[in-house]
Amino acid sequence: MRDRVLILCGLGLFLAVVTWPAWRTLASAPAPPPELARPVGSTRCVAPVEFMRASHMTLLVQWRDRVVRDGVRTYVDRDGREVRMSLTGTCIGACHTDKTKFCDRCHDYAKVTPTCWNCHVVPPAGPPAGGVR
Amino acid sequence: MNPGRRVFLRMAGSAAVATAAGAALGCVASEARRRRLGMAIDVQKCVADNGCRACIDACHRAHNVPAIPDVRHEVKWIWKEPFERAFAVEDRDTVTASLRGQPVPVFCNHCDNPPCVRVCPTQATWARDDGVVTIDEHRCIGCRYCVAACPYGSRSFNWVDPRPFVPAPLSAYPTRTRGVVEKCNLCEERLAVGQLPACVEACPERAMVFGDLRDPASNVRRVLAEQYSLRRKPELGTRPQLYYVI
């Protein structure tokens, strides 16, 4: 074990390099949460904000299955409003009209790339179509 | 046999009969309520407007169907085929002689016994209660069994990303992605809001009649009752629900 010092130094260096990103993240200030554009003309989402923030994909997948598999296109939300179950028609089309300032900002922050947009076409950003009907 | 046992058997017997009768009645009732959508296509009217692409353009526009120039990667929902290639009629057949060489519109036949549905390993394609054979693109894994199974070539596979070939996609209907199969969906998204299929609406000759084949009073049934019609490859037993009036 004549090389003990050398080996320990090498191991230490290796650990430092490998764990460097973790240390850096711990040391730096947390990234500011993304600033999301609030919908114009609509103040109340179909579900509580906390639920939507954490589980909007659950709702979207349920909507997808209801529309595609069961042919049911209307959703009755917590307020009894009837909503058309449509990502591009209702979520984007009626409320969050600018995808880049809502969906994308949070997805970029969380470093996720949903595949929804490989197929679904983002409607051109414009004035909201009167909020959730 | 003691009385208790006899009573029990009698009750069990009548319960079984009642269940069977109820099920049979329910079945008949739901069968009567259900629609069976289909179409009659007047070939004579269609060939009168030779060169017309109104149905194709309307369909492909409404569903963001890509226009891919490379035929190996081509995607199509509705297209025209010479009569003799759409129908296997004998060369000596005199009834259809005038139609030989004439283009007729072909698309998914929405079969009553769809082979594409039977082979799909993920149940991504299925026949709805009203007979529309449709695809859940979210569930398609791109195995192309259905493409091989369809005897009409109605299904296209997305070998390449179709988005660059749809210059101005409409947001009302999604495009597809690379690696999934697509075909005519009988405009189920338009039917859901009370509209006719895009091809039916676009045809300047009104050659396509759409409706409920189970309703004796429907337009499509009236057309089929009055005129002689053919179906594509009926010998295969797929029971297509597009009727070509000749």
Side-chain angles (χ1 to χ4, degrees), chain B:
Chain B
M1 194 187 269
N2 65 42
R5 198 169 173 197
R6 193 175 300 147
V7 169
F8 171 75
L9 283 174
R10 197 180 297 146
M11 278 171 66
S14 35
V17 168
T19 312
L25 276 176
C27 201
V28 168
S30 66
E31 193 72 4
R33 266 201 314 274
R34 249 189 250 155
R35 294 187 302 168
R36 182 43 172 110
L37 301 177
M39 225 187 265
I41 300 159
D42 193 321
V43 178
Q44 301 285 1
K45 279 186 189 168
C46 185
V47 301
D49 223 341
N50 206 342
C52 172
R53 282 182 51 92
C55 56
I56 304 171
D57 291 339
C59 167
H60 287 192
R61 179 87 194 105
H63 299 108
N64 294 326
V65 177
I68 304 178
D70 187 345
V71 286
R72 293 174 310 155
H73 300 158
E74 192 179 34
V75 172
K76 47 194 183 184
W77 284 30
I78 172 169
W79 69 102
K80 289 197 177 178
E81 205 66 76
F83 183 84
E84 68 277 14
R85 283 184 54 183
F87 298 94
V89 286
E90 298 213 1
D91 289 348
R92 290 175 309 233
D93 187 64
T94 49
V95 180
T96 59
S98 64
L99 290 168
R100 219 157 287 151
Q102 299 286 0
V104 293
V106 293
F107 46 104
C108 172
N109 282 284
H110 298 279
C111 304
D112 254 352
N113 181 23
C116 51
V117 169
R118 205 167 57 229
V119 298
C120 179
T122 59
Q123 292 172 15
T125 190
W126 77 101
R128 307 195 319 180
D129 283 348
D130 57 8
V132 177
V133 175
T134 189
I135 307 179
D136 182 352
E137 303 289 359
H138 305 94
R139 207 182 277 200
C140 178
I141 56 168
C143 71
R144 289 172 284 131
Y145 281 15
C146 58
V147 178
C150 175
Y152 307 102
S154 299
R155 288 171 170 258
S156 302
F157 183 67
N158 284 279
W159 293 97
V160 294
D161 179 16
R163 200 47 96 73
F165 300 97
V166 190
L170 301 178
S171 67
Y173 198 82
T175 66
R176 268 66 59 196
T177 187
R178 190 170 74 100
V180 295
V181 169
E182 62 181 88
K183 69 163 192 78
C184 157
N185 65 350
L186 213 60
C187 284
E188 57 99 10
E189 83 286 355
R190 290 172 59 94
L191 301 179
V193 292
Q195 291 174 315
L196 281 173
C199 55
V200 175
E201 206 176 82
C203 179
E205 297 285 341
R206 297 278 170 265
M208 293 165 147
V209 181
F210 171 83
D212 181 2
L213 292 164
R214 284 223 179 89
D215 175 10
S218 67
N219 279 345
V220 62
R221 278 284 292 272
R222 192 177 43 75
V223 169
L224 293 176
E226 285 167 3
Q227 285 164 287
Y228 184 70
S229 61
L230 296 177
R231 288 194 279 178
R232 295 183 68 199
K233 303 186 183 177
E235 70 279 11
L236 298 178
T238 56
R239 299 201 294 279
Q241 297 304 307
L242 298 190
Y243 295 80
Y244 290 83
V245 174
I246 58 166

